[in-house]
Amino acid sequence: MTTPPEPPPDHEPAPAPGDEPTRARGGDSDAPPGSHPDGGPGVPVLTDPDPDPGADPDPAPAPRVRRFWAVRRIPAAVLAALVLGGAGLLLYDVAAVRADRTAMAWRRELADGLATRPLDDTWVVVGAAVAVALGLWLLILAATPGLRAVLPMRREHADVRAGLDREAAALALRDRAMEVSGVQSVRVRVGRAKVAVKAVSHFRALDEVRADVETVLAAGVDELALAHPPALTVRVARPPRKA
């Protein structure tokens, strides 16, 4: 007698509590991210790196560098003292005349001279020339920044301004030039638009010394971080012969 085969169960038996499933729904749990569920290579996912929170995506343009303006305390103090003294003296004389007193001798002579002297008189012309020169001098002081001895430097930050004294810049460049082999002495003059260097070389060829000095000082001028780098002029000569 033959026993008929048993029908397959409707569902798979549940795994034991200690056993772990080898495949999760939708793919293998051990597969790397981005791989295909069937085991083939998947489409890689490209993600942008997180931007640095401290970096500025759109850096602001460098602020315009202007020259330093002089305070000009001495000219302002001299002019204020002259105006105050003249106004006070004139006011005192006018008050004395109003009080039935005679005017001062200088004011009477000045009034008589202005009334009697012709316009082409020497003293009138000299006085007018002095007044014009004084006015032009004041206008120039008001329209120009001054402080020619301070060279403006590049502005890395909008709220910070820095300047370099011309003598300090000349000293720094002189020390750099003295490091060149063959240089005995150096004179450096730093202006707002040009740096004039005169070196004395007691050995080596002058062309080689000049080339080395130009290279060293060009790097030195760049390291000064000036807003308007001056042009460089280098002259190299032999020391004078002793008699």
Side-chain angles (χ1 to χ4, degrees), residues 153-154 164 169 172-177 179-180 195 197 210-226 229-234:
M153 303 177 67
R154 290 195 294 265
L164 182 63
L173 295 179
R174 176 185 174 276
D175 293 341
R176 293 291 298 270
E179 297 176 357
V180 177
V195 176
V197 180
R210 183 183 301 106
D212 293 345
V213 171
E214 289 179 353
T215 302
V216 169
L217 292 187
V221 170
D222 185 67
E223 291 177 359
L224 293 179
L226 299 178
L232 183 62
T233 303
V234 179

Side-chain angles (χ1 to χ4, degrees), residues 87-163:
L89 189 61
L90 182 61
L91 181 61
Y92 174 80
D93 190 51
V94 171
V97 172
R98 293 293 183 177
D100 297 334
R101 295 184 180 179
T102 58
M104 293 184 179
W106 67 268
R107 195 160 74 93
R108 293 198 305 268
E109 294 179 0
L110 180 61
D112 295 340
L114 293 176
T116 57
R117 289 180 182 271
L119 296 178
D120 57 351
D121 186 74
T122 303
W123 289 108
V124 174
V125 174
V126 170
V130 170
V132 170
L134 181 60
L136 290 177
W137 180 60
L138 294 177
L139 289 177
I140 292 174
L141 290 181
T144 55
L147 289 182
R148 298 175 60 88
V150 179
L151 301 175
M153 303 177 67
R154 290 195 294 265
R155 299 184 65 177
E156 302 295 340
H157 303 279
D159 299 334
V160 179
R161 295 188 64 192

